[in-house]
Amino acid sequence: MIALACCAQTVFAQEITPASKDDLLPGKYPVCTNARKTCIFEDADNSYILNMKKGQLARKRDGKEQYKRNLFGKGDRGKSATLSDTGNVLAVTVSNVTLSRRAFGGGTSPDDLDRSFRIALYNPRSGSRIKDFDLGAFSPQSVSLSADGQLVFTVGDDLERREVKEVRVYNARSGLLVHSFAVTKTKGVELYSNGYAYAGRAWAVAQAVVGEVAIYNSRDPFSIAEYEVSCSAFISTKSLPEQHSIGVLPLVDDVQQEDWVATSGMIEKLKGGGINAVERKNMKELLEEVQLGMSGLFDSKSQISDIGKLLSATHFVFTDAQRHDDNIVAVSRLVHVTTGGIESSCNLICRDCRPQDLFEGVSAVAEHWVGNSAAK
């Protein structure tokens, strides 16, 4: 299972595999532990100051304080913190240890304590909490984030199973545990932005595309949407006529009927792949001019051909979507104007998908459609 990360089109898998230590990448921002009472993360424009004891986060820009937020509740203590390379996710491991009402006289033993541990994710630019997830009796000692903030790496002790120490990797969006590895001590574990090293060995996030299916998580830190994209064939300038133009029609779904916003994302990615796609504005104006409703649009090959001539298009992209509970299934088809034949198609499955996640999903279809063509 693989995941397309943001920015440089690196391909990540949520599968941790043995690797060389040379494959491990240090994070842009250092991991901060509670050995220091104050953690400071700085980029070109901002400074984020986190008081680990009080749980107070402040942001400064050009020397002026933008905000100051109290992140923790009563009894919370910060144990470690780090910032994603993109600077939009702050991860903090938090412990809460209090004397249990079951405690009875004498010295305090572990059984006299109520203990809870969690990883909390924040947007450092606003100070708002994105989400947190409970670690149960797992006490984390250190934490790191993948470069895009999609995965959380941590090492610590499982207090329910005495003497058990582990490296754990969580999906930062869903909070699901995706990998664990037992170690004999936590001090010797090194956490990186794409894996970890221990006792001379290394494990890293796999960087390989499996078949023609791409699975990745939303880049929106407030979304847990997962996208699965697969295409029957890839689009490239070599597979199209030299003088080609593709008209991208508005996405049609069973709720909104038509979505020009999501369509604009597809046009942008197709053009980024060197494909001559008709501008959204021009498409919309021409379709309105000929008064074509989206219901039953282009029922015959002759209609496709006529509208193709009007737009000077050699191909059209049609996208239909249907909603099933929290999932959206969309199919995009590349249709030849003259023959009406389908030359390629892509399927999108968007899980835990909100309406606003559809723009990114449709954009990903187009990016996958043309981004893999060079290798084919």
Side-chain angles (χ1 to χ4, degrees):
M1 189 181 292
I2 64 95
L4 300 183
C6 72
C7 309
Q9 290 193 8
T10 307
V11 179
F12 285 101
Q14 286 192 346
E15 180 182 359
I16 313 301
T17 59
S20 164
K21 193 169 180 180
D22 293 337
D23 296 326
L24 297 177
L25 304 172
K28 180 179 177 181
Y29 300 95
V31 175
C32 181
T33 67
N34 62 354
R36 296 165 57 189
K37 293 181 180 179
T38 302
C39 300
I40 300 176
F41 304 101
E42 295 182 304
D43 61 23
D45 301 311
N46 301 285
S47 295
Y48 304 108
I49 301 96
L50 175 62
N51 185 310
M52 296 290 278
K53 185 176 180 180
K54 295 181 179 179
Q56 198 173 69
L57 177 66
R59 174 192 175 194
K60 288 186 177 180
R61 185 180 179 90
D62 298 327
K64 297 180 180 179
E65 189 169 277
Q66 305 295 306
Y67 69 76
K68 185 177 284 187
R69 301 274 191 274
N70 291 318
L71 306 182
F72 297 172
K74 184 178 179 181
D76 287 343
R77 291 289 299 270
K79 296 174 67 67
S80 61
T82 193
L83 193 64
S84 66
D85 284 6
T86 52
N88 67 333
V89 180
L90 174 69
V92 185
T93 58
V94 184
S95 69
N96 192 307
V97 181
T98 56
L99 187 65
S100 170
R101 285 182 290 181
R102 301 183 303 273
F104 181 75
T108 302
S109 70
D111 292 335
D112 295 327
L113 302 174
D114 285 331
R115 297 166 294 187
S116 65
F117 307 94
R118 70 182 191 273
I119 293 176
L121 304 180
Y122 300 92
N123 181 342
R125 292 162 186 169
S126 65
S128 60
R129 185 179 68 87
I130 299 172
K131 62 171 57 101
D132 53 27
F133 43 93
D134 186 10
L135 300 182
F138 183 76
S139 175
Q141 304 302 314
S142 186
V143 65
S144 70
L145 281 165
S146 60
D148 57 359
Q150 300 286 347
L151 298 174
V152 180
F153 299 85
T154 187
V155 58
D157 303 277
D158 189 330
L159 302 182
E160 280 190 348
R161 297 179 293 166
R162 309 280 180 166
E163 306 299 326
V164 173
K165 305 177 188 299
E166 287 182 329
V167 178
R168 292 186 176 185
V169 184
Y170 292 89
N171 182 313
R173 298 300 178 261
S174 66
L176 294 177
L177 179 66
V178 298
H179 173 82
S180 64
F181 182 79
V183 297
T184 57
K185 59 182 181 178
T186 59
K187 193 173 181 180
V189 177
E190 302 171 75
L191 300 179
Y192 292 82
S193 68
N194 66 326
Y196 63 93
Y198 172 72
R201 300 172 63 193
W203 289 260
V205 180
Q207 293 185 311
V209 175
V210 181
E212 296 178 354
V213 178
I215 299 178
Y216 72 103
N217 297 316
S218 171
R219 294 189 286 263
D220 179 358
F222 293 92
S223 171
I224 62 170
E226 179 187 78
Y227 303 100
E228 177 180 316
V229 182
S230 59
C231 299
S232 63
F234 298 110
I235 305 175
S236 69
T237 52
K238 294 179 182 178
S239 66
L240 294 169
E242 186 174 346
Q243 299 297 324
H244 72 272
S245 182
I246 295 179
V248 183
L249 299 173
L251 179 147
V252 178
D253 67 47
D254 56 3
V255 175
Q256 297 175 188
Q257 296 305 310
E258 61 180 272
D259 190 338
W260 282 102
V261 175
T263 302
S264 69
M266 175 168 283
I267 291 174
E268 178 185 343
K269 295 300 181 181
L270 288 175
K271 293 178 74 172
I275 305 300
N276 182 21
V278 177
E279 292 283 355
R280 185 190 98 177
K281 181 173 180 250
N282 296 338
M283 280 289 301
K284 190 173 183 180
E285 288 178 351
L286 285 167
L287 290 174
E288 288 175 348
E289 183 180 327
V290 294
Q291 297 181 337
L292 285 171
M294 296 314 301
S295 177
L297 180 63
F298 301 163
D299 288 331
S300 68
K301 291 181 181 179
S302 62
Q303 284 180 297
I304 294 176
S305 179
D306 290 344
I307 303 303
K309 291 177 183 177
L310 180 65
L311 296 174
S312 299
T314 58
H315 295 77
F316 281 117
V317 170
F318 298 83
T319 302
D320 298 304
Q322 291 186 339
R323 298 173 189 272
H324 304 277
D325 297 324
D326 293 330
N327 301 328
I328 296 177
V329 178
V331 180
S332 297
R333 300 178 299 278
L334 179 69
V335 178
H336 194 283
V337 164
T338 304
T339 66
I342 298 174
E343 297 192 351
S344 177
S345 64
C346 283
N347 295 327
L348 166 69
I349 301 175
C350 178
R351 301 183 180 90
D352 296 313
C353 205
R354 307 166 303 168
Q356 57 265 44
D357 292 317
L358 197 53
F359 174 87
E360 185 178 1
V362 172
S363 300
V365 168
E367 188 171 18
H368 186 68
W369 222 349
V370 299
N372 289 275
S373 60
K376 294 289 175 181

PDB file of all heavy atoms in Angstrom, residues 251-264:
ATOM      1  N   LEU A 251     -17.310  17.927 -12.892  1.00  0.00           N
ATOM      2  CA  LEU A 251     -17.607  16.689 -12.194  1.00  0.00           C
ATOM      3  C   LEU A 251     -19.084  16.662 -11.838  1.00  0.00           C
ATOM      4  O   LEU A 251     -19.629  17.646 -11.348  1.00  0.00           O
ATOM      5  CB  LEU A 251     -16.760  16.583 -10.930  1.00  0.00           C
ATOM      6  CG  LEU A 251     -16.962  15.354 -10.047  1.00  0.00           C
ATOM      7  CD1 LEU A 251     -15.645  14.979  -9.392  1.00  0.00           C
ATOM      8  CD2 LEU A 251     -18.001  15.619  -8.967  1.00  0.00           C
ATOM      9  N   VAL A 252     -19.733  15.541 -12.102  1.00  0.00           N
ATOM     10  CA  VAL A 252     -21.147  15.391 -11.794  1.00  0.00           C
ATOM     11  C   VAL A 252     -21.302  14.341 -10.706  1.00  0.00           C
ATOM     12  O   VAL A 252     -20.752  13.237 -10.813  1.00  0.00           O
ATOM     13  CB  VAL A 252     -21.943  14.950 -13.049  1.00  0.00           C
ATOM     14  CG1 VAL A 252     -23.420  14.760 -12.700  1.00  0.00           C
ATOM     15  CG2 VAL A 252     -21.792  15.985 -14.156  1.00  0.00           C
ATOM     16  N   ASP A 253     -21.997  14.684  -9.613  1.00  0.00           N
ATOM     17  CA  ASP A 253     -22.243  13.688  -8.566  1.00  0.00           C
ATOM     18  C   ASP A 253     -23.715  13.671  -8.210  1.00  0.00           C
ATOM     19  O   ASP A 253     -24.506  14.476  -8.708  1.00  0.00           O
ATOM     20  CB  ASP A 253     -21.347  13.918  -7.341  1.00  0.00           C
ATOM     21  CG  ASP A 253     -21.673  15.201  -6.592  1.00  0.00           C
ATOM     22  OD1 ASP A 253     -22.864  15.433  -6.335  1.00  0.00           O
ATOM     23  OD2 ASP A 253     -20.751  15.951  -6.251  1.00  0.00           O
ATOM     24  N   ASP A 254     -24.070  12.741  -7.345  1.00  0.00           N
ATOM     25  CA  ASP A 254     -25.481  12.532  -7.039  1.00  0.00           C
ATOM     26  C   ASP A 254     -26.013  13.487  -5.972  1.00  0.00           C
ATOM     27  O   ASP A 254     -27.151  13.370  -5.546  1.00  0.00           O
ATOM     28  CB  ASP A 254     -25.734  11.083  -6.604  1.00  0.00           C
ATOM     29  CG  ASP A 254     -24.865  10.670  -5.426  1.00  0.00           C
ATOM     30  OD1 ASP A 254     -24.117  11.528  -4.918  1.00  0.00           O
ATOM     31  OD2 ASP A 254     -24.930   9.495  -5.022  1.00  0.00           O
ATOM     32  N   VAL A 255     -25.176  14.439  -5.517  1.00  0.00           N
ATOM     33  CA  VAL A 255     -25.623  15.408  -4.517  1.00  0.00           C
ATOM     34  C   VAL A 255     -25.558  16.823  -5.069  1.00  0.00           C
ATOM     35  O   VAL A 255     -26.542  17.550  -5.136  1.00  0.00           O
ATOM     36  CB  VAL A 255     -24.789  15.294  -3.227  1.00  0.00           C
ATOM     37  CG1 VAL A 255     -25.204  16.389  -2.250  1.00  0.00           C
ATOM     38  CG2 VAL A 255     -24.983  13.918  -2.595  1.00  0.00           C
ATOM     39  N   GLN A 256     -24.347  17.227  -5.507  1.00  0.00           N
ATOM     40  CA  GLN A 256     -24.159  18.603  -5.960  1.00  0.00           C
ATOM     41  C   GLN A 256     -24.524  18.806  -7.426  1.00  0.00           C
ATOM     42  O   GLN A 256     -24.595  19.930  -7.899  1.00  0.00           O
ATOM     43  CB  GLN A 256     -22.697  19.025  -5.729  1.00  0.00           C
ATOM     44  CG  GLN A 256     -22.302  19.027  -4.272  1.00  0.00           C
ATOM     45  CD  GLN A 256     -20.838  19.330  -4.056  1.00  0.00           C
ATOM     46  OE1 GLN A 256     -20.345  19.235  -2.971  1.00  0.00           O
ATOM     47  NE2 GLN A 256     -20.125  19.705  -5.090  1.00  0.00           N
ATOM     48  N   GLN A 257     -24.702  17.735  -8.165  1.00  0.00           N
ATOM     49  CA  GLN A 257     -25.014  17.758  -9.591  1.00  0.00           C
ATOM     50  C   GLN A 257     -23.810  18.165 -10.432  1.00  0.00           C
ATOM     51  O   GLN A 257     -23.444  17.470 -11.356  1.00  0.00           O
ATOM     52  CB  GLN A 257     -26.212  18.663  -9.891  1.00  0.00           C
ATOM     53  CG  GLN A 257     -27.509  18.167  -9.246  1.00  0.00           C
ATOM     54  CD  GLN A 257     -27.816  16.730  -9.637  1.00  0.00           C
ATOM     55  OE1 GLN A 257     -27.806  16.381 -10.793  1.00  0.00           O
ATOM     56  NE2 GLN A 257     -28.058  15.884  -8.643  1.00  0.00           N
ATOM     57  N   GLU A 258     -23.184  19.280 -10.149  1.00  0.00           N
ATOM     58  CA  GLU A 258     -21.978  19.635 -10.891  1.00  0.00           C
ATOM     59  C   GLU A 258     -21.037  20.420  -9.989  1.00  0.00           C
ATOM     60  O   GLU A 258     -21.468  21.182  -9.146  1.00  0.00           O
ATOM     61  CB  GLU A 258     -22.287  20.415 -12.156  1.00  0.00           C
ATOM     62  CG  GLU A 258     -22.983  21.746 -11.950  1.00  0.00           C
ATOM     63  CD  GLU A 258     -23.240  22.448 -13.261  1.00  0.00           C
ATOM     64  OE1 GLU A 258     -22.336  23.184 -13.697  1.00  0.00           O
ATOM     65  OE2 GLU A 258     -24.307  22.256 -13.852  1.00  0.00           O
ATOM     66  N   ASP A 259     -19.740  20.192 -10.189  1.00  0.00           N
ATOM     67  CA  ASP A 259     -18.742  20.801  -9.318  1.00  0.00           C
ATOM     68  C   ASP A 259     -17.600  21.337 -10.169  1.00  0.00           C
ATOM     69  O   ASP A 259     -16.706  20.615 -10.574  1.00  0.00           O
ATOM     70  CB  ASP A 259     -18.222  19.759  -8.315  1.00  0.00           C
ATOM     71  CG  ASP A 259     -17.369  20.392  -7.219  1.00  0.00           C
ATOM     72  OD1 ASP A 259     -16.842  21.493  -7.456  1.00  0.00           O
ATOM     73  OD2 ASP A 259     -17.235  19.786  -6.152  1.00  0.00           O
ATOM     74  N   TRP A 260     -17.655  22.657 -10.441  1.00  0.00           N
ATOM     75  CA  TRP A 260     -16.594  23.279 -11.237  1.00  0.00           C
ATOM     76  C   TRP A 260     -15.321  23.463 -10.415  1.00  0.00           C
ATOM     77  O   TRP A 260     -14.225  23.544 -10.970  1.00  0.00           O
ATOM     78  CB  TRP A 260     -17.077  24.635 -11.761  1.00  0.00           C
ATOM     79  CG  TRP A 260     -17.995  24.520 -12.941  1.00  0.00           C
ATOM     80  CD1 TRP A 260     -19.350  24.637 -12.943  1.00  0.00           C
ATOM     81  CD2 TRP A 260     -17.616  24.253 -14.291  1.00  0.00           C
ATOM     82  NE1 TRP A 260     -19.845  24.459 -14.209  1.00  0.00           N
ATOM     83  CE2 TRP A 260     -18.798  24.228 -15.065  1.00  0.00           C
ATOM     84  CE3 TRP A 260     -16.397  24.032 -14.923  1.00  0.00           C
ATOM     85  CZ2 TRP A 260     -18.798  23.995 -16.434  1.00  0.00           C
ATOM     86  CZ3 TRP A 260     -16.393  23.793 -16.298  1.00  0.00           C
ATOM     87  CH2 TRP A 260     -17.583  23.775 -17.036  1.00  0.00           C
ATOM     88  N   VAL A 261     -15.453  23.546  -9.098  1.00  0.00           N
ATOM     89  CA  VAL A 261     -14.265  23.731  -8.252  1.00  0.00           C
ATOM     90  C   VAL A 261     -13.363  22.506  -8.351  1.00  0.00           C
ATOM     91  O   VAL A 261     -12.152  22.615  -8.575  1.00  0.00           O
ATOM     92  CB  VAL A 261     -14.681  23.981  -6.789  1.00  0.00           C
ATOM     93  CG1 VAL A 261     -13.446  24.050  -5.908  1.00  0.00           C
ATOM     94  CG2 VAL A 261     -15.479  25.273  -6.681  1.00  0.00           C
ATOM     95  N   ALA A 262     -13.940  21.314  -8.181  1.00  0.00           N
ATOM     96  CA  ALA A 262     -13.150  20.089  -8.296  1.00  0.00           C
ATOM     97  C   ALA A 262     -12.578  19.949  -9.698  1.00  0.00           C
ATOM     98  O   ALA A 262     -11.445  19.492  -9.889  1.00  0.00           O
ATOM     99  CB  ALA A 262     -14.002  18.872  -7.937  1.00  0.00           C
ATOM    100  N   THR A 263     -13.353  20.371 -10.709  1.00  0.00           N
ATOM    101  CA  THR A 263     -12.895  20.290 -12.096  1.00  0.00           C
ATOM    102  C   THR A 263     -11.660  21.150 -12.312  1.00  0.00           C
ATOM    103  O   THR A 263     -10.747  20.772 -13.045  1.00  0.00           O
ATOM    104  CB  THR A 263     -14.024  20.744 -13.043  1.00  0.00           C
ATOM    105  OG1 THR A 263     -15.166  19.912 -12.834  1.00  0.00           O
ATOM    106  CG2 THR A 263     -13.592  20.646 -14.494  1.00  0.00           C
ATOM    107  N   SER A 264     -11.608  22.311 -11.672  1.00  0.00           N
ATOM    108  CA  SER A 264     -10.452  23.196 -11.843  1.00  0.00           C
ATOM    109  C   SER A 264      -9.178  22.533 -11.348  1.00  0.00           C
ATOM    110  O   SER A 264      -8.097  22.760 -11.894  1.00  0.00           O
ATOM    111  CB  SER A 264     -10.692  24.522 -11.106  1.00  0.00           C
ATOM    112  OG  SER A 264     -10.681  24.337  -9.701  1.00  0.00           O
TER     113      SER A 264
END
